[in-house]
Amino acid sequence: MDRLKRIVEFCRTIDREKFIQRKTYLTDGERLENDAEHAWHLAVMALLLMEYSNAEIDLLRVVSMVLIHDLVEIYAGDTFTYDEAGMKTQKARESAAADRLFPMLPDDLASRFRGLWDEFESEETAEAKFAHTLDNFQPMMLQAASDGRAWREGGRRLSEVLRRNARTAEGSKTLWNYAEEHFIRPQIEKGHLKDDIG
């Protein structure tokens, strides 16, 4: 029963992911999404978009990674992509949060979850690269759906978006090309994303 108790306590703890607000508006542009909504969305997108991965992938591994990749934000908080100061401490804060969170589980599950989280963070395997592609593609899709609301409000520049997505094509060239054509370019044309490149 101790094993089950620990797992249930972990399940209760991760409910807190629903309270971690991100900086991306939902498709109606009315409110910001939370981490749990983001993770769910990525998991379904992995099921639907796996054929566009650059390499053959283990789908369960990708789905597992996208479902747990932001759990550490329960303790570390969400780090906004364009917050330069926050980005400097993100790795250390999230690693410390992982050290605190995953040991709540029985040893075998703690090792599996931490391994998946570390794999996602290292972005070296085909699965991790595709998971990162989805993690970058989804907010751009929501930006386009909300007519670039967060980009407009933040005065975002094309150079910032390209820097954020410097490795997005490593998981799927097709999805990156789609994002450039359908999510980024229309927002530049509307003046919602400042073209500071030329």
Side-chain angles (χ1 to χ4, degrees), residues 32-103:
L32 298 168
E33 72 173 345
N34 66 51
D35 269 0
E37 291 168 329
H38 172 67
W40 160 81
H41 207 175
L42 294 183
V44 177
M45 289 172 66
L47 299 175
L48 295 169
L49 298 171
M50 67 175 286
E51 66 189 271
Y52 300 104
S53 172
N54 290 342
E56 190 171 324
I57 52 172
D58 177 340
L59 180 60
L60 178 58
R61 199 160 192 82
V62 173
V63 170
S64 298
M65 273 190 262
V66 298
L67 284 173
I68 71 165
H69 79 289
D70 279 341
L71 290 180
V72 297
E73 294 185 1
I74 290 168
Y75 297 126
D78 179 56
T79 304
F80 184 40
T81 299
Y82 303 111
D83 174 5
E84 292 182 18
M87 292 299 286
K88 290 176 183 174
T89 64
Q90 180 184 19
K91 294 269 187 208
R93 285 183 291 106
E94 291 188 352
S95 183
D99 291 343
R100 178 179 175 189
L101 178 67
F102 296 126

